[in-house]
Each structure stands twice: as C-alpha cells, then as structure tokens.
C-alpha cells in the first residue's frame, strides 16, 4: 500500500523562507475567507449558527472550562496514541523478523479495525476500569493505520543496504536495527499524522461511554443547555487538539527524517504485494481459502478473548450463541432476514459515502496538481475537516439538508475522503520528475501530463486507500444511521444494546465485520491485480 | 469488595508490565501523572470519606439505623447517567456522612454516559453493587432478554417523568395532537415511546419518529414538532433560554412509569441484605436533605461532581425543584420515599406490557428491603411530614 503521505517533492527546489511566505499568504487568505463565509451564514440563519464573535467570546469566557476538559481528553488521547502505536510497532517488528506472518497480521488487524466501537464499548467497560475503556477505544482508532504504515515502511529499505548487512554476516534483527528502522521513519511519521486526529476522536468517542470530564461530555452538556457558542468553542478546541496532533507528527517527521521527500519515489512496492505471488487465476482461487482461514482465526481469537478475560456470558456471547441465533435456532430465519436487510441498507449508505468521499478526494487532487497554491489553502481545511467531532455539527447539517441522501453523502464522505486524498496526492506527486520532463520536452499540455502520467500513478493509491476508506465508509454509515436515519445495522445495534439483546448485538457485529472483511479482501485483491498488471507492463 | 484474583486481573497486571517492556515507561508515567489532575478522580471517582472526628464523637444513637457501624468496605455505585442534579440525594448522602455512618469506607460512583452500557449490566456482572437505571424497562429487558438476575429494590421518581415538549406556537397538548407530526426520540427512549404510541391508540404510521441526540435545536427551528424526554431536561433548558414551550406529561395521560430505579442482583438481595439496606437507608437520608434544601444538590454538582460541564445554578435549582415533586408525593409522604403502592406496581407492569415486556411483579420488584428499613426506622417517614415539594 502506498502510505506515502509524504510532502510534495517540488517544495524541495524552493528555499524554505520563500515557501513559508507563499504558504503563509495562502493560509491567511484561507482563514479570512472562512470567517467571511461563516459570518454571512450566521447572519442568514441565526437560529442555527452562532456568530464568529460569539464563539470567540465564549472561548474567552469559558476558557478554563475548555482548558480543563481539553486536558482530560488530551490525557486519554495521548495514552491511546501511545498504546495504539506501541502495539502496532511491536507487531510490525515481529513481522519484520518473521515476514511470513505479515498477511495474517494485516488481516487480523483489519478485523479489529472493522469492529464497531458501539459493540466493543460495553465489552471494554466490563473488562477495564476507570479511564481505560476510553484509552482502549482511542488506541484502537490508531492501531491499524500505524501498523500498515510501519509495515510498508520497514519494507521500503533499499535492497542494496540490506545486501551489505547480509554480506557482513548480519541476520534479520541486525538488518531491522541498522537499516529498516531508519528507512521506515518517513512512512511511520506519515501514518502517525493520521494517528493523531484519530486518537483524539477515539478518545472523545470513549468519553461517551461514561464520565463527566473531557471534551465529549462537555460538548453534550453544552448542546443540552443550548449553549450554542460554547458548543462550537468546545468543538473548535477538539478540532485544534486533533489538528495539533497532526502537525506535531508532521513536524517530527520533518525533523527526524528530512530525507523523506527524496525517498518517496522509491516506495511503490505496496501492500500485500510481496505475499501475493503467482498468477491472477491462482490468487482468485486462493482468495476465498485465505479469507476462510482469516475468519477461522478470528473465531478462535473471539473464543480466546472470552476465555482470557473471563468475560461475563451476559455481555460476551460466544460463536455458538451467534450460530444458534443466526443459523440453527428456531427463529434463525427471521433473525437472518432482519440482519441482512439492515446490512443491505447500511451498505447503500456506505456506497454513497464512499463514492462521495472518493470523488471529492480525486477532484481535490486534480485541482491541487493544476493549481498548487490551492493546496496550501485547502489542505489545512482538509486536516480540520478530518479532525472535527461530527457530533457538534451534524445536527445543523441535518436541519439544513434533511435526513436523506445529501446528509448521508456528506457525513459518510467526510469520514472517508481524507485517507484517499492524502494517499492519492502523494502518489501523484511521486511521479518521477524525469517522466514529467519528457512530457514537458515534447510540449504536452498540463492536462495531458495529468491524464497520461499523473492520474495513472494515482490508481494504485486509490485502491490502497480503499483498504482504509471502505471500512471507514461502513463506519460512517453506522454513524449516519445512529444520528440521522434510525435504520440499518447501526441502529439495530443501538437498539439491541438498550433492549439488552446481546446475542442480537453480537450477531449484528459479526454480520457487519464479515461484510467489511469481504469488502476489504475484494479491494486488496483488486489492488494486487492492478499492481501486477502495472508492474508487468 | 470482590477480592479473589481472577484471570482478568493477572492479565491486567501483565499488560502493565508489557508497557514497560515495550519501552514507554517514562512516557506512560508522564501521562499517568497527568491523569490524576485531568480525569478527576475526586468528583467522578472514589470519594474517600475522611474520618474527621465527627464519626467518632457522633454516637450510634444519632444514626437512623439502630445498628452499630460495621465495616462494609468500599461501595461501587453505578449512576444512570453522567453526574448531575439527578443524583443530588446520593451526593448529599456522601457529604452528610450518611454512607460513612452506614459503614462504607468510600463510595465509588461509576458515571454513565450517552453510549454507556445500561446499568443492569454493571450490576449483573458485579462491577457495581447497586445501580440506578433511568427507567424500569431497562431492568425488565435485562431480565427477560438478557437473563440478568437483577431486580428493582426502590424507585425514586413516583411519576412518569417523560413528556413531549413542543413549541407554544405549534403545541402538542394531547396524544391526538401528534398525528401527522414529527417527533424526535433518542434511541434509549424508543421502548417507552413505542408503548406510549400503542397505548394512546395512535396509528404508529401516522406519527413520524426521527432519532435525535442531545441538542434540542431541531425543535426550536421546527425540524421536529415534538421532543420526547424527561420533563426535568430539555423543557427546563428551553424555558431558561427564553423559548415558550408546552409540555405534555405522559403521567397525565394514564401511563404510570416510575423512574430512577435502584437495582441489585438477586444474589445480593438474598445474601447481603444488610449491606443493601445500609445503602438504601443512606440514600433515603440523602434525598430527605435534597428535598429539604433544593439548592444543596445543585451546589454540590456545580462545585464538585460536574464542575467541568458548565452547568448553571439557577437552571439546575429549577430542575431540582421539579425533580423533588416527582419524588415526594402524597403516597411517599405516607409510606416513605422510594416505596411503591400496589396500584403503582400494577400500572407499571401494564405500561411495560405495552412495550412487549411481559414480567411479573415478583420478578421485577423486591421492595421488602425498603419495608424492613421503614419498620426499623419510622422517623425516616415522620421526617417527611414537614417537607414540601412544589416543582
């Protein structure tokens, strides 16, 4: 997978000061236009939008409240970030030494990534005490992207450097220590940029599980009190926290691995490619087998967790319980119909969201390639969009655009588009200058360059991003159902929780997770097929 | 209270050791120390009861329970939602030393939240000794659908606190007024809502229901015509913000449902009656204080338990007054707080049946603990004579 969220190469040619000035001006224009637009909208619909001045006033008046809650959330997010990244890195190191484990590890991590927070929240609450369920949710939000980034990174070490280690008699651990770790840093920091906002949003999600401190409960309380400016001020604090986490990782990446921008071109060996040798036909044949093996491992892991954590059967249903509910029991046929119908509705929303998010991302990439200045204006905005706690602003959106397809596309698209944008942009930017020079020399237009050189480079990235974006689209759809439509498998899970129907909940989780894993497998198979074809040309 | 070492605890310790092994000890320690100040163990977590001499000098005679204080250890107490005025009596029971006199070394309040597991889970799994659930349907569902052996041992609100709030210029005053309109209902309340619609004889297809969250703006701007909630929540907030609203109380339309119910496991009810009675007696003492002084609870909430939620004292005092009127009724004045008459029990079971929850009184309620408390301490009832609650 191209997880190269690496800075555009062209910056390299320009002096830092000039670039900063350029970016600074663009940034100021961006901020000013946002405020102008906001004031306009707030004047038109005062019942929905607070004036910027009111929000600034609230930021000042409620500063100590905002600060205390932000610190509480930051504490949870930081611990979640450390645990999530720590676990991901430890696993990546194991895989680096035992490469055979890579595919199984990635699949397993994907399953964990696909588990809906609503479903694992209760289990985490029963197993863990105090703040720890929140930390765990935050860690889970981080774990997968970092694992993928670290694996790609560890593999990106140059073959010649590894040969030197090998020739000198060094084994895999030595290679890991001396070459791979260093080579992986750019990728690592790239995925950690995504991890920062994810940890903050995961922490806020965790805060909804219970407690009276943190930005999550404070936002809910402000909403309940109709304290609109304060709600927005808290929302901005959460956004700022998430964006700060993004930029700290970006800065650290710059400082510790300044060579990142030059190595990006080397890294086009993607995803599971190394473990997917053989003909396309053979792979299509083995894909269901490996999928079945993954699912079998997941079921074993499921039982293992119940045994290991001594989970109470009231809350933690076993594979047998779910089997009875969906397949063997007297009501199984009805249950199946309910679950399949609900999942179908969810997939429709997810499809709308994925298309909306991907189209937005591709349009942005094309725009950025043609007019680079726009990137400096819009990229911070994209980071902000990624970091906004949706709970604050979705009610307004629902009021304006209703509870139909527009809102679904927007909310679900928002959670989907960012990985696609970042990965695709990096791929387009990584087209070697030499190739572009050929186009320039032959007098090709910018459009031709884009169409013939840059967009083809984006296709693998689009598919690679799909592995993160497709599960996210389903998660986004669950969110939409929960807050807007009251339909689909997301709402079914919510109702099952409140009605104490835990077998139904677990069955829904299984249906939802298996669907996501199947989608994930399809996307990765597509990815490796495309990569192989591109590689063979 | 449960001291046996489980597999889970061993694993938890191992996880801690794992963090050290990964090599993040300094960082984790740094955040750990952060945690003490920011995540607020003082309001949200354990409230240690300081032995400041008052306990030693106060003789046993002054305790309402005619028992010598025994050491009951720490109490894990699960709240139905995040900290707020809804738990005033609990806070005042802690602050007034009622729990300490009852023999509890500390009270660990486990707050709920928007997506928290329902209280019956924590009580059934033993994470909490006693819990408060917002409505009895949660307990009935836990028992019927989940096989959780928990029962209601006391019920704080005597009247159904649910209402449909509407804007004064588009009022909903009777159930029939809802036909053709859109009502915002939070997912957790949908069970009660469905029962209400069924009982009111309204075709469910003629009222449109949409899920809502915490922000009542959809009501003020007309996206929904009605808002289904507790009468102590959104209606008070909206009125405080200057909106003219109408409320239609379900209690006024023949749907009895108690709320803020205390629950315990069947096993505790059988084996640890004294401990449960000690909890309930302390709660009753606390709630008597809360009714006598409607501002005491809100003050504790704002200064301590929910200091970070930005609540307003005046609004919370209004909430406290309305809440007291749900607690102190003619019946409870005569028979004691949290008790239930046979009529009330029958009415609740009928309402639950409309939600599809078929359960007997014996399976859902065990009010014998309360009866024993009041038999032993009649002053807990006579103390109510001078109190009023005028919502």
């Amino acid at each position: 997978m191209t997880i190269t969220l690496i800075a555009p190469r062209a910056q390299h040619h320009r002096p830092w000061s000039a670039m900063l000035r350029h970016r600074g001006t663009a940034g100021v224009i961006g901020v000013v236009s946002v405020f102008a637009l906001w004031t306009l909208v707030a004047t038109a619909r005062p019942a929905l939008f607070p004036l910027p001045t009111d929000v600034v006033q609230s930021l000042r008046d409620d500063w100590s409240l905002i600060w205390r809650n932000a610190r509480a959330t930051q504490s949870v997010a930081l611990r979640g970030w450390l645990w999530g990244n720590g676990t991901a890195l430890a696993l990546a190191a194991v895989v680096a030494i035992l490469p055979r484990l890579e595919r199984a590890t990635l699949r397993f991590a994907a399953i964990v990534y696909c588990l809906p927070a609503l479903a694992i929240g209760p289990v985490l609450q029963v197993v863990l005490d105090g703040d720890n369920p929140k930390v765990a949710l935050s860690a889970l939000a981080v774990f997968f992207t970092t694992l993928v980034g670290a694996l790609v990174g560890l593999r990106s070490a140059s073959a010649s450097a590894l040969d030197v280690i090998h020739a000198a008699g060094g084994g895999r651990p030595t290679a890991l220590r001396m070459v791979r770790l260093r080579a992986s840093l750019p990728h690592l920091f790239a995925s950690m940029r995504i991890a920062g906002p994810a940890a903050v949003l995961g922490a806020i999600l965790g805060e909804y599980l219970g407690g009276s401190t943190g930005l999550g409960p404070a936002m809910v309380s402000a909403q309940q009190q109709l304290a609109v400016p304060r709600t927005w001020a808290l929302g901005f604090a959460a956004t700022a926290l998430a964006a700060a986490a993004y930029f700290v990782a970006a800065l650290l990446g710059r400082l510790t691995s300044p060579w990142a921008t030059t190595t990006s071109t080397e890294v086009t060996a993607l995803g599971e490619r190394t473990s997917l040798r053989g003909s396309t036909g053979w792979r299509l044949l083995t894909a269901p087998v490996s999928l079945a093996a993954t699912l079998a491992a997941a079921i074993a892991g499921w039982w293992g967790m119940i045994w290991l954590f001594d989970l109470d059967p009231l809350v933690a249903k076993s594979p047998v319980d779910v089997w009875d509910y969906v397949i063997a029991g007297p009501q199984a046929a009805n249950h199946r119909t309910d679950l399949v119908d609900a999942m179908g509705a969810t997939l429709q929303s997810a499809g709308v969201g994925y298309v909306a998010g991907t189209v937005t991302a591709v349009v942005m990439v094309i725009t950025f390639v043609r007019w680079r200045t726009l990137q400096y204006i819009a990229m911070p905005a994209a980071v902000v969009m990624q970091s906004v706690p949706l709970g604050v602003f979705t009610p307004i959106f629902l009021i304006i655009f209703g509870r139909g397809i527009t809102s679904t596309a927007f909310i679900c698209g928002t959670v989907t588009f960012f990985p696609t944008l970042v990965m695709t942009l990096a791929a387009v930017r990584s087209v070697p200058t030499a190739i572009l020079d050929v186009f320039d020399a032959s007098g090709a237009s910018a459009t031709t360059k884009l169409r013939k050189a840059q967009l083809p480079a984006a296709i693998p990235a689009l598919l690679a991003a799909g592995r993160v974006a497709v599960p996210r689209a389903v998660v986004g759809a669950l969110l939409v159902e929960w807050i807007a439509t009251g339909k689909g498998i997301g709402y079914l899970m919510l109702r099952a929780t409140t009605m104490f129907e835990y077998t139904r909940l677990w069955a829904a989780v299984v249906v939802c997770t298996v669907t996501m894993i199947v989608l994930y497998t399809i996307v990765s198979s597509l990815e490796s097929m495309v990569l192989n074809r591109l590689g063979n040309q | 209270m449960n001291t046996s070492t489980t597999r889970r605890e061993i694993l938890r310790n191992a996880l801690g050791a794992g963090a050290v092994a990964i090599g993040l000890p300094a960082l984790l320690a740094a955040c750990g120390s952060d945690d003490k100040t920011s995540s607020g163990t003082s309001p949200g977590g354990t409230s240690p009861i300081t032995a400041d001499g008052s306990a030693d000098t106060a003789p046993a005679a002054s305790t309402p329970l005619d028992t010598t204080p025994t050491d009951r250890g720490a109490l894990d107490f699960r709240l139905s939602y995040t900290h707020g005025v809804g738990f005033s009596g609990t806070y005042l029971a802690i602050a007034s030393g009622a729990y300490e006199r009852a023999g509890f070394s500390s009270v660990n309040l486990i707050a709920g939240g928007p997506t928290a597991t329902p209280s019956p889970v924590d009580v059934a799994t033993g994470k909490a000794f006693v819990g408060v659930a917002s409505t009895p349907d949660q307990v009935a569902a836990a028992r019927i659908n989940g096989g959780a052996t928990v029962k209601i041992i006391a019920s704080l609100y005597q009247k159904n606190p649910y209402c449909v709030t509407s804007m004064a210029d588009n009022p909903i005053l009777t159930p029939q007024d809802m036909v053709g309109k859109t009502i915002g209902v939070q997912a957790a309340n949908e069970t009660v809502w469905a029962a209400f619609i069924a009982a009111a004889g309204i075709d469910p297809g003629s009222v449109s229901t949409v899920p809502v969250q915490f922000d009542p703006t959809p009501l003020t701007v007309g996206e929904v015509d009605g808002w289904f909630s507790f009468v102590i929540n959104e209606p008070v907030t909206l009125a405080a913000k200057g909106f003219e609203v109408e409320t239609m109380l379900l209690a006024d339309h023949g749907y009895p449902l108690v709320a803020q119910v205390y629950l315990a496991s069947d096993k505790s009810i059988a084996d640890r009656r004294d401990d449960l009675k000690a909890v309930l007696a302390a709660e009753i003492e606390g709630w008597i204080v809360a009714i006598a002084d409607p501002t005491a609870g809100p003050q504790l909430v704002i200064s301590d338990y929910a200091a970070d939620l930005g609540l307003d004292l005046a609004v919370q005092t209004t909430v406290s007054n309305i809440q007291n009127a749900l607690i102190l009724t003619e019946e409870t004045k005569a028979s004691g707080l949290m008790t239930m008459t046979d009529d009330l029990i029958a009415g609740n079971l009928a309402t639950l049946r409309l939600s599809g929850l078929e359960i007997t009184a014996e399976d859902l309620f065990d009010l014998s603990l309360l009866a024993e408390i009041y038999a032993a301490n009649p002053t807990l009832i006579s103390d109510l004579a001078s109190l009023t609650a005028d919502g």
Side-chain angles (χ1 to χ4, degrees):
Chain A
M1 174 188 297
T2 5
I3 264 272
T4 46
L5 325 176
I6 285 164
R9 296 178 65 246
Q11 296 164 10
H12 224 59
H13 304 306
R14 234 184 289 169
W16 268 95
S17 56
M19 198 186 78
L20 278 179
R21 226 181 359 254
H22 187 57
R23 278 190 167 196
T25 319
V28 167
I29 294 171
V31 169
V32 168
S33 39
V34 164
F35 267 84
L37 193 69
W38 177 6
T39 310
L40 209 67
V41 171
T43 316
R45 297 295 297 271
L48 291 181
F49 298 91
L51 281 168
T53 45
D54 292 341
V55 175
V56 170
Q57 178 79 28
S58 165
L59 275 172
R60 224 176 34 222
D61 293 349
D62 301 324
W63 178 246
S64 82
L65 178 139
I66 293 168
W67 178 247
R68 282 197 309 272
N69 286 309
R71 285 211 34 175
T73 302
Q74 171 266 332
S75 155
V76 170
L78 184 58
R79 278 178 288 160
W81 191 89
L82 289 172
W83 272 108
N85 285 326
T87 315
L89 294 186
L91 260 181
V94 169
V95 169
I97 295 166
L98 300 166
R100 272 167 197 281
L101 291 178
E102 174 170 336
R103 197 170 172 188
T105 308
L106 265 178
R107 286 284 168 81
F108 208 78
I111 291 178
V112 173
Y113 183 63
C114 291
L115 285 174
L118 185 69
I120 45 176
V123 174
L124 292 176
Q125 268 189 300
V126 171
V127 176
L128 303 167
D129 291 322
D131 268 357
N132 291 333
K134 306 174 196 172
V135 174
L137 268 188
S138 172
L140 282 172
V142 165
F143 167 72
F144 184 63
T145 38
T146 300
L147 179 67
V148 172
L151 287 181
V152 174
L154 287 173
R155 217 189 295 132
S156 69
S158 80
S160 48
L162 290 174
D163 285 345
V164 172
I165 299 285
H166 191 64
R172 278 193 180 130
T174 318
L176 176 67
R177 193 157 42 84
M178 301 187 69
V179 177
R180 288 186 192 273
L181 278 183
R182 190 179 145 84
S184 73
L185 278 182
H187 300 270
L188 211 55
F189 281 109
S191 42
M192 279 183 185
R193 274 189 254 170
I194 297 184
V200 173
L201 293 181
I204 290 175
L205 207 61
E207 285 170 347
Y208 289 152
L209 288 174
S212 300
T213 34
L215 291 170
M219 282 188 284
V220 169
S221 177
Q223 286 183 309
Q224 282 171 332
Q225 296 173 70
L226 265 185
V228 181
R230 194 202 298 154
T231 307
W232 280 57
L234 285 161
F236 283 131
T239 308
L241 199 59
Y246 177 92
F247 287 111
V248 166
L251 192 68
L252 280 178
R254 265 279 154 68
L255 293 178
T256 53
S257 48
W259 63 90
T261 47
T262 52
T263 49
S264 65
T265 46
E266 291 172 25
V267 194
T268 38
L270 309 170
E272 296 178 5
R273 192 182 184 191
T274 45
S275 50
L276 283 173
R277 296 202 180 87
S279 72
T280 308
W282 175 248
R283 270 202 320 278
L284 284 180
L285 217 65
T286 53
V289 177
S290 78
L291 184 64
T294 310
L295 293 176
I299 290 172
W302 177 359
W303 247 316
M305 293 298 270
I306 291 178
W307 179 83
L308 202 62
F309 287 102
D310 224 356
L311 292 181
D312 198 301
L314 273 180
V315 184
K317 300 298 176 186
S318 74
V320 172
D321 296 326
V322 171
W323 178 265
D324 277 347
Y325 186 85
V326 187
I327 309 284
Q331 291 287 313
N334 291 342
H335 295 159
R336 269 202 307 275
T337 315
D338 280 358
L339 290 168
V340 169
D341 286 354
M343 192 68 230
T346 304
L347 278 180
Q348 283 180 18
S349 306
V352 168
Y354 178 73
V355 169
T358 305
V359 168
T360 311
V362 170
V363 168
M364 283 173 87
V365 167
I366 292 173
T367 317
F368 291 171
V369 170
R370 291 300 302 273
W371 300 282
R372 183 179 284 271
T373 310
L374 281 179
Q375 183 181 341
Y376 301 139
I377 297 176
M379 205 55 191
V383 174
V384 167
M385 279 294 278
Q386 170 67 12
S387 316
V388 164
L390 286 168
V392 173
F393 302 106
T394 42
I396 302 167
F397 202 84
L398 295 181
I399 289 166
I400 298 174
F401 294 102
R403 290 161 188 265
I405 196 167
T406 319
S407 291
T408 302
F410 178 79
I411 296 168
C412 201
T414 304
V415 297
T416 312
F417 90 100
F418 192 67
T420 312
L421 171 66
V422 175
M423 291 184 192
T424 315
L425 190 59
V428 169
R429 293 275 189 236
S430 72
V431 173
T433 333
I435 294 181
L436 296 180
D437 287 345
V438 172
F439 278 89
D440 287 337
S442 59
S445 71
T447 318
T448 312
K449 213 160 67 179
L450 187 70
R451 193 163 52 84
K452 295 215 163 152
Q454 291 171 314
L455 282 187
I459 291 171
L462 218 52
L463 288 165
R467 282 209 254 162
V468 178
V470 167
R472 270 191 187 218
V474 177
V475 171
L478 298 181
L479 187 74
V480 169
E481 288 161 358
W482 184 17
I483 62 176
T485 62
K487 295 188 174 69
I489 205 131
Y491 205 68
L492 188 146
M493 286 180 196
L494 194 61
R495 286 293 298 149
T497 317
T498 57
M499 286 301 283
F500 222 102
E501 295 168 322
Y502 278 92
T503 315
R504 186 174 164 85
L505 173 69
W506 283 71
V509 170
V510 169
V511 169
C512 192
T513 309
V514 167
T515 309
M516 285 207 251
I517 293 301
V518 169
L519 289 176
Y520 176 89
T521 308
I522 293 173
V523 174
S524 3
S525 301
L526 268 179
E527 184 194 353
S528 51
M529 266 160 62
V530 168
L531 286 181
N532 267 36
R533 281 194 59 183
L534 288 181
N536 292 342
Q537 276 170 0
Chain B
M1 286 188 171
N2 184 2
T3 50
S4 70
T5 309
T6 63
R7 211 157 42 222
R8 197 186 300 158
E9 278 154 14
I10 296 170
L11 208 89
R12 233 181 251 158
N13 296 338
L15 278 177
V20 178
I22 290 171
L24 305 165
L27 283 167
L28 283 174
C31 330
S33 63
D34 237 20
D35 170 44
K36 271 185 208 104
T37 52
S38 54
S39 77
T41 39
S42 54
T46 307
S47 315
I49 293 167
T50 48
D52 56 0
S54 61
D56 300 330
T57 51
S62 77
T63 52
L65 279 179
D66 291 337
T67 52
T68 45
T70 46
D71 180 16
R72 301 183 195 278
L75 170 66
D76 292 318
F77 189 113
R78 169 63 204 265
L79 306 176
S80 58
Y81 202 65
T82 51
H83 287 285
V85 171
F87 311 105
S88 289
T90 307
Y91 306 145
L92 290 165
I94 295 171
S96 68
Y99 270 111
E100 188 186 4
R101 288 193 297 276
F104 292 101
S105 58
S106 66
V107 182
N108 174 31
L109 298 176
I110 305 165
T115 55
T117 48
S119 297
V121 175
D122 278 357
V123 175
T125 57
K127 186 166 180 172
F129 181 54
V130 176
V132 177
S134 55
T135 46
D137 56 280
Q138 289 182 12
V139 186
R143 189 140 194 137
I144 298 168
N145 299 337
T149 49
V150 290
K151 274 183 191 165
I152 295 170
I153 55 172
S155 89
L156 184 63
Y157 294 1
Q158 299 290 306
K159 289 186 196 159
N160 190 336
Y162 280 105
C163 71
V164 175
T165 307
S166 51
M167 303 306 283
D169 55 8
N170 179 23
I172 293 171
L173 302 173
T174 68
Q176 284 307 316
D177 288 349
M178 296 191 297
V179 171
K181 294 195 171 167
T182 304
I183 315 292
V185 181
Q186 288 159 6
N189 297 332
E190 212 180 82
T191 313
V192 180
W193 169 252
F196 172 53
I197 291 289
I202 297 174
D203 171 15
S206 70
V207 180
S208 142
T209 306
V210 293
V212 290
Q213 277 72 47
F214 325 103
D215 180 354
T217 306
L219 178 64
T220 64
V221 300
E223 193 214 353
V224 297
D225 307 300
W227 188 272
F228 191 63
S229 71
F230 271 22
V231 69
I232 59 165
N233 295 337
E234 281 82 349
V236 181
T237 311
L238 289 166
K241 281 279 164 186
F243 290 101
E244 282 185 40
V245 294
E246 292 288 349
T247 54
M248 174 182 72
L249 265 169
L250 267 63
D252 294 339
H253 290 86
Y255 312 103
L257 193 72
V258 291
Q260 295 299 85
V261 293
Y262 290 75
L263 56 143
S265 69
D266 290 4
K267 197 169 180 306
S268 304
I269 295 172
D271 302 343
R272 296 181 58 189
R273 293 186 74 82
D274 284 348
D275 291 340
L276 281 177
K277 277 155 69 178
V279 172
L280 286 179
E283 286 287 310
I284 291 167
E285 276 191 67
W287 280 105
I288 289 175
V289 179
I291 295 166
D293 180 2
T295 60
Q299 272 160 357
L300 270 180
V301 168
I302 285 167
S303 68
D304 191 355
Y305 289 96
D308 291 344
L309 293 186
L311 300 171
D312 178 77
L313 183 62
V315 174
Q316 297 306 312
T317 305
T318 310
V319 170
S320 175
N321 276 314
I322 299 173
Q323 174 172 264
N324 285 343
L326 297 170
I327 298 168
L328 187 71
T329 61
E330 286 310 311
E331 288 80 17
T332 51
K333 232 172 172 173
S335 54
L337 295 184
M338 304 187 190
T339 55
M340 290 176 77
T341 62
D342 288 345
D343 276 357
L344 189 56
I345 291 175
N348 270 272
L349 294 177
T351 302
L352 291 178
R353 207 170 297 127
L354 290 168
S355 321
L357 296 167
E358 193 86 40
I359 193 165
T360 64
E362 295 72 41
D363 279 346
L364 185 59
F365 298 103
D366 187 335
L367 303 170
S368 63
L369 297 159
L370 273 183
E372 290 170 24
I373 291 171
Y374 286 120
N377 304 276
T379 53
L380 286 177
I381 300 177
S382 56
D383 283 350
L384 299 173
S386 60
L387 297 180
T388 52
D390 42 34

